[in-house]
């Protein structure tokens, strides 16, 4: 798009405000009172306006008669009012944005966060700043989330253990890994590495970021993982454990601990927790509503995540 210089480069908003004030108040003295200026300042603004447009805009009769608009002044007055109204509207909208009560956010999320953390965050945002429009994009493919953040398709995204230097990551908390077993599994109250190694396991696809973390931690601990079923759906993994098909290692946030068909056991010694983050592109300015979202996400996460990571084996 071709951008051209305005026809009146010396024209300023205060010149238009002075014209409108004189037209509505009928004199330079009353216009000065309405604007909070001196009469000479208003006179200077009108003079500057006339120089900018190259035509007189007011006739200044002597005596008590009010100032009168010239033909150019009448033409300019309607446009001046329209410009000032638009500036006032923009000012109000920017003030709302500045206070974080309006705007649009697009948030990236993944399955367990969508189920446990995001609903109360969105609920509070809708209650506190209902004019902020929130869009959501969910995927368990963290690479896709990061790519969308970097391409500015997402303003913020929940991530796990992201370390890309192009990102700015706010740690929300730590989510420990636990062992899921069927309710009638003969295992004791605490799972040991021997209870996992070479035992049938239920897991997620190896491409899943959380599953990669689990497998890396198991491998570092010398635990051999024997997966007999994999699913991207957390509920399906838990269902297979419930059926007795195998045990599973899952992050605590991803399970339903109230399921009577399973038991949730700590692993001793524990695997290092996963770190839940709220991520944005480094160096990108976001609307203030994004900071409000981040604050609420941090407060909600404090009730659902651990402040410190589990000690790794």
């Amino acid at each position: 798009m071709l951008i051209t210089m305005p026809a009146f480069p010396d024209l300023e908003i205060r010149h238009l405000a002075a014209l409108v004030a004189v037209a509505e108040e009928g004199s330079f003295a009353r216009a000065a009172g309405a604007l909070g200026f001196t009469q000479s300042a208003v006179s200077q603004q009108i003079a500057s306006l006339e120089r900018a447009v190259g035509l007189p805009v007011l006739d200044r009769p002597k005596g008590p008669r009010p100032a009168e608009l010239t033909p150019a002044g009448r033409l300019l007055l309607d446009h001046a009012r329209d410009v000032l109204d638009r500036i006032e509207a923009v000012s109000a909208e920017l003030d709302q944005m500045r206070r974080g009560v309006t705007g649009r956010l697009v948030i990236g999320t993944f399955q367990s966060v969508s189920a446990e953390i995001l609903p109360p965050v969105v609920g509070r945002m809708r209650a506190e700043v209902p004019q902020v429009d929130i869009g959501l994009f969910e995927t368990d493919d963290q690479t896709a989330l990061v790519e969308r953040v970097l391409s500015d398709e997402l303003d913020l995204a929940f991530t796990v253990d992201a370390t890309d230097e192009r990102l700015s990551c706010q740690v929300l908390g730590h989510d420990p890994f636990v062992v899921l077993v069927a309710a009638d599994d003969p295992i004791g109250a605490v799972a040991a590495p021997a209870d996992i190694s070479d035992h049938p396991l239920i897991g997620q696809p190896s491409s899943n970021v959380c599953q990669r973390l689990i497998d890396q931690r198991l491998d570092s601990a010398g635990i051999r993982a024997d997966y007999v079923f994999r699913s991207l759906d957390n509920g399906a993994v838990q269902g297979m454990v419930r059926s007795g098909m195998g045990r599973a290692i899952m992050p605590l946030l991803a399970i339903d601990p109230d399921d009577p068909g399973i038991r949730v056991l700590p692993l001793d010694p524990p695997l290092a927790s996963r770190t839940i983050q709220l991520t944005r592109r480094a160096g990108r300015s976001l609307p203030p509503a994004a900071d409000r979202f981040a604050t609420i996400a941090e407060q909600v996460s404090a009730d659902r995540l651990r402040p410190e990571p589990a000690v790794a084996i």
Side-chain angles (χ1 to χ4, degrees):
M1 180 180 69
L2 179 63
I3 299 176
T4 59
M5 290 292 291
F8 308 116
D10 297 326
L11 186 63
E12 299 181 15
I13 301 302
R14 56 182 177 162
H15 301 157
L16 301 179
L19 175 66
V20 172
V22 173
E24 292 181 349
E25 299 296 331
S27 74
F28 282 75
R30 287 194 293 272
L35 293 172
F37 296 159
T38 64
Q39 183 173 337
S40 62
V42 173
S43 181
Q44 290 171 6
Q45 299 307 323
I46 295 299
S48 296
L49 174 61
E50 291 176 329
R51 286 194 298 271
V53 301
L55 290 168
V57 297
L58 286 168
D59 287 330
R60 303 162 176 79
K62 295 181 179 180
R65 291 174 55 197
E68 296 178 352
L69 291 166
T70 66
R74 287 193 294 272
L75 174 64
L76 189 57
L77 179 62
D78 287 340
H79 292 290
R81 285 173 171 152
D82 183 55
V83 168
L84 294 176
D85 286 345
R86 288 175 179 269
I87 289 174
E88 184 176 356
V90 168
S91 177
E93 290 181 22
L94 286 173
D95 180 62
Q96 288 182 321
M97 180 175 287
R98 190 180 302 112
R99 291 184 289 115
V101 299
T102 190
R104 175 172 172 77
L105 295 175
V106 185
I107 310 297
T109 180
F110 55 90
Q111 192 175 172
S112 56
V113 163
S114 296
E116 297 298 326
I117 292 178
L118 197 55
V121 175
V122 172
R124 282 185 54 181
M125 286 288 291
R126 289 178 63 83
E128 296 177 19
V129 284
Q131 290 180 291
V132 174
D133 183 24
I134 298 177
L136 301 174
F137 171 76
E138 182 184 86
T139 178
D140 282 340
D141 182 353
Q142 181 157 295
T143 299
L145 287 175
V146 169
E147 288 175 350
R148 287 174 180 257
V149 168
L150 293 174
S151 65
D152 295 337
E153 295 176 69
L154 298 175
D155 297 304
L156 299 166
F158 291 93
T159 55
V160 174
D161 288 25
T163 57
D164 194 313
E165 63 180 8
R166 297 170 296 175
L167 301 174
S168 175
C169 300
Q170 173 187 352
V171 174
L172 298 178
H174 304 276
D175 191 21
F177 291 106
V178 294
V179 179
L180 264 64
V181 300
D184 58 357
D185 192 305
I187 190 174
V190 177
D195 297 315
I196 303 302
S197 192
D198 291 320
H199 192 283
L201 293 180
I202 313 298
Q204 295 188 318
S206 56
S207 59
N208 177 270
V209 61
C210 185
Q211 188 62 56
R212 288 201 301 270
L213 293 178
I214 293 171
D215 291 343
Q216 290 167 2
R217 286 156 168 71
L218 292 178
D219 185 64
S220 296
I223 299 174
R224 182 178 177 277
D226 180 17
Y227 291 102
V228 295
F229 179 76
R230 295 179 185 268
S231 173
L232 269 175
D233 185 87
N234 293 334
V237 172
Q238 185 160 325
M240 288 301 178
V241 171
R242 188 189 311 116
S243 74
M245 188 174 185
R247 297 167 180 168
I249 297 176
M250 295 183 70
L252 185 59
L253 198 66
I255 66 172
D256 175 12
D258 298 323
D259 183 346
I262 59 105
R263 286 193 293 148
V264 181
L265 310 178
L267 182 64
D268 186 24
L271 300 180
S273 305
R274 65 174 183 169
T275 301
I276 306 296
Q277 308 153 314
L278 190 61
T279 297
R280 64 181 72 193
R281 179 168 65 82
R284 181 190 177 195
S285 294
L286 295 178
D291 294 327
R292 184 63 191 144
F293 184 96
T295 297
I296 294 175
E298 190 172 58
Q299 293 168 351
V300 169
S301 297
D303 294 331
R304 290 163 171 78
L305 300 174
R306 308 285 174 85
E308 299 293 335
V311 178
I313 58 176

